[in-house]
Amino acid sequence: MIVPRYRIALSRIPQAGQGLYLDEPVARGAVIIAPDKVHTVWPESRLRACAADSIEVESSVRWFEDWFSLTPEWSDECYVNHSYAPTALWHLGFIFALDDLPAGTEVTMDYRYVIGDGERMPFADSVTGREIVGLPWRQVLADGARRLLDLSA
């Protein structure tokens, strides 16, 4: 569920396709996206039994530990693009504004938080050229919790 008003338009990130843009300002720390309609959660071992280009793999994000939520209906939340300088923080399925975001801001996040430990995205970051490799779960949990705590201060 995307909380603020938004629109989908061509991303400003090179080679990213479409992006999700805010149509209203969002305050630092506010929830931009909250999980809803999570009807399928699989362990990573089951997910990795699928082909890399399968709908299951393509529509999955790590939710917690080695469990992934699958959203094959491709909601607009799928238009949140990767950035190493993100505007938002993913934490336990929620996406929070990392700063006061004016209307017109593209919502981006660091994909390393939502892919498996050591998993490599099939593309590099188009701005920096850096590879995108999933972080260990404990690091994702600790980093996200620390950053979320900083947002509440």
Side-chain angles (χ1 to χ4, degrees), residues 9-121:
L10 186 62
S11 176
R12 295 183 188 115
I13 300 169
Q15 305 162 359
Q18 301 286 346
L20 190 146
Y21 290 87
L22 300 172
D23 275 346
E24 61 184 295
V26 173
R28 174 189 160 118
V31 172
I32 298 172
I33 297 175
D36 69 339
K37 300 181 186 173
V38 176
H39 53 80
T40 305
V41 179
W42 283 4
E44 185 172 13
S45 59
R46 181 175 176 191
L47 186 64
R48 298 301 166 223
C50 298
D53 62 351
S54 69
I55 189 69
E56 293 85 3
V57 172
E58 293 288 327
S59 69
S60 67
V61 295
R62 180 170 49 186
W63 195 0
F64 62 94
E65 296 173 347
D66 66 345
W67 292 87
F68 286 69
S69 64
L70 282 68
T71 314
E73 50 282 339
W74 295 103
S75 65
D76 286 350
E77 297 162 13
C78 295
Y79 293 107
V80 175
N81 287 311
H82 165 78
S83 175
Y84 278 118
T87 59
L89 168 69
W90 178 93
H91 187 67
L92 297 174
F94 287 83
I95 296 179
F96 299 88
L98 280 171
D99 213 336
D100 288 333
L101 303 176
T105 299
E106 182 174 0
V107 179
T108 58
M109 65 182 205
D110 188 337
Y111 280 7
R112 297 176 303 160
Y113 287 76
V114 298
I115 59 178
D117 181 0
E119 180 181 356
R120 288 170 161 64
M121 293 300 294

Side-chain angles (χ1 to χ4, degrees), residues 1-2 9 20 76 78 93 105 127 129 131 140 148 153:
M1 164 179 70
I2 303 170
L20 190 146
D76 286 350
C78 295
T105 299
V127 174
E131 187 175 33
V140 168
L148 191 55

